[in-house]
Amino acid sequence: LKPLLELESGSNDPMAYILTILLVGLLTPGADVSFGMSFVWFVVGMSVGVVAGYGFGRLAVWSINRLNIANQSLYAVLLLAFVFLTFSVTDMIRGNGYLAVYVAGLVVGNYPLMHKKTLGTFFDGFTWLFQVILFVTLGLLVNIDELLQPEVLLLGGLTGLFMIFVARPAAVFLTLLPFRKFTTRARLYVSWVGLRGAVPIIFATYPVVAGVEGSGLLFNIVFFVTLLSLAVQGTTVSLMAGWLGLAYPERERIFNDEVMNRMLDDATTELTVTEAMLGAGRHLRDIVLPEATLVVMVAREGSFFVPRGNTLLHVGDKLLVVTENKSEVKSAVRLGE
């Protein structure tokens, strides 16, 4: 259920964006937009967005893995540049830029990538920063007095309750009909976790900018529905999982990233195979190393592999060694030379 909800959470925003653009175009006074052409642009935008996103995603992976940049921090800058490039070029050729960036992100995240962990850490912090800025900015657009008007409370409350208890469950149960392995409890949980966030509020500003009649009321209703969704659904996500019997205790990783990084810094070292080290034999088992020392990886001509005792070593091979005493290992290697 977790990857399913993550996929839906990211993929529904491009759909909402293009529908908002089309409907605003239809409602804007003096706009010459027909329903037929709107449907054509919808299909074109989604199709071009998928193709462009996949292409730019593969290009980003290829570039990051091929370029040899001395300063590793610049890889994050490079990937960020690909985000803007993907959106702008896709939008320029009439594609859905949001969908293209989302698809490109899926491609980059699921292919082997150099400095992937560093990039993930950077973009995680970057995302949270912009989310904070986004919500602060949206908060400045809201007038509390307007939000508490009777028509906003009535229409927003009815709309929010309808979406939570009727529209969302109906859509989920209908779309999951072909997937027989989903239990009723799983379908109910997916129905409940349909949180509204900042994206609907952003899209609600489009009619305001376009001057659509009643857009101010619409913006306040959308904002109220978002608050209602967060208050009702957002605070009960874990509780609902427990009620439906879908919750399980998350296993705590003893060897988490922080521990592993510290262990790798303290316990690993890199050795280069020399002719003197191979004096007793050219197999890994013939190399004399201190006790409590293991060779866990061999790098040779750009490829990496896990060695065994009968692995034949070559001069110039790089050995990744895990040991309890780095200085003792290096001393032993120097004495062997």
Side-chain angles (χ1 to χ4, degrees):
L1 294 180
K2 183 177 179 180
L4 172 66
L5 290 168
E6 289 176 347
L7 175 64
E8 187 231 357
S9 176
S11 60
N12 59 12
D13 292 340
M15 176 70 75
Y17 166 75
I18 199 164
L19 288 175
T20 300
I21 294 297
L22 293 176
L23 292 174
V24 169
L26 291 171
L27 295 173
T28 301
D32 186 19
V33 181
S34 65
F35 182 80
M37 284 303 299
S38 298
F39 179 76
V40 171
W41 284 121
F42 169 79
V43 174
V44 171
M46 299 298 282
S47 303
V48 173
V50 171
V51 174
Y54 180 80
F56 277 109
R58 291 300 303 270
L59 181 61
V61 171
W62 183 88
S63 302
I64 292 173
N65 288 338
R66 294 296 186 278
L67 294 177
N68 186 15
I69 305 176
N71 189 344
Q72 294 187 10
S73 302
L74 293 178
Y75 283 100
V77 179
L78 175 62
L79 188 54
L80 183 61
F82 265 105
V83 173
F84 291 108
L85 179 67
T86 301
F87 184 91
S88 57
V89 172
T90 305
D91 190 69
M92 185 175 64
I93 59 178
R94 300 287 186 173
N96 190 323
Y98 289 98
L99 181 59
V101 171
Y102 177 68
V103 172
L106 289 177
V107 173
V108 172
N110 287 277
Y111 272 86
L113 196 69
M114 297 289 290
H115 312 291
K116 192 171 188 177
K117 184 178 178 181
T118 304
L119 291 172
T121 302
F122 170 81
F123 277 97
D124 187 43
F126 194 75
T127 301
W128 278 104
L129 172 64
F130 269 82
Q131 286 186 105
V132 171
I133 296 174
L134 179 62
F135 274 104
V136 171
T137 305
L138 293 175
L140 295 174
L141 298 176
V142 178
N143 188 319
I144 300 298
D145 293 333
E146 294 180 359
L147 200 63
L148 297 178
Q149 292 295 321
E151 61 268 24
V152 174
L153 295 176
L154 178 62
L155 293 174
L158 291 176
T159 303
L161 293 175
F162 176 79
M163 294 180 69
I164 293 172
F165 294 106
V166 180
R168 169 79 180 187
V172 169
F173 274 81
L174 181 63
T175 52
L176 290 182
L177 276 178
F179 305 97
R180 303 294 183 184
K181 292 186 178 181
F182 280 97
T183 64
T184 302
R185 291 183 301 169
R187 295 168 198 263
L188 287 172
Y189 187 69
V190 174
S191 300
W192 186 253
V193 188
L195 303 178
R196 253 59 66 182
V199 173
I201 304 175
I202 296 172
F203 292 161
T205 63
Y206 286 28
V208 177
V209 174
V212 175
E213 184 180 356
S215 56
L217 176 61
L218 177 63
F219 177 84
N220 290 322
I221 290 174
V222 171
F223 200 95
F224 184 84
V225 169
T226 300
L227 293 179
L228 182 64
S229 173
L230 294 175
V232 175
Q233 296 170 291
T235 59
T236 57
V237 169
S238 299
L239 184 64
M240 185 61 69
W243 283 349
L244 294 173
L246 300 173
Y248 61 91
E250 196 168 352
R251 295 179 181 178
E252 182 181 359
R253 288 182 57 196
I254 301 300
F255 297 100
N256 54 40
D257 293 340
E258 183 180 352
V259 173
M260 289 300 297
N261 288 337
R262 186 171 67 249
M263 290 177 61
L264 289 174
D265 289 338
D266 296 341
T268 61
T269 187
E270 181 181 303
L271 302 177
T272 302
V273 177
T274 63
E275 190 66 46
M277 292 173 60
L278 302 177
R282 294 188 171 271
H283 294 92
L284 178 60
R285 60 172 175 263
D286 300 324
I287 296 180
V288 179
L289 293 173
E291 293 184 1
T293 300
L294 294 174
V295 179
V296 296
M297 191 76 68
V298 177
R300 178 184 300 162
E301 298 178 354
S303 62
F304 301 85
F305 59 92
V306 178
R308 298 185 179 184
N310 60 353
T311 297
L312 192 64
L313 297 179
H314 300 163
V315 175
D317 286 351
K318 304 291 185 180
L319 308 182
L320 179 63
V321 177
V322 177
T323 180
E324 293 181 353
N325 194 325
K326 286 186 181 181
S327 58
E328 187 177 348
V329 172
K330 293 181 178 180
S331 299
V333 171
R334 282 196 296 269
L335 289 174
E337 295 176 354

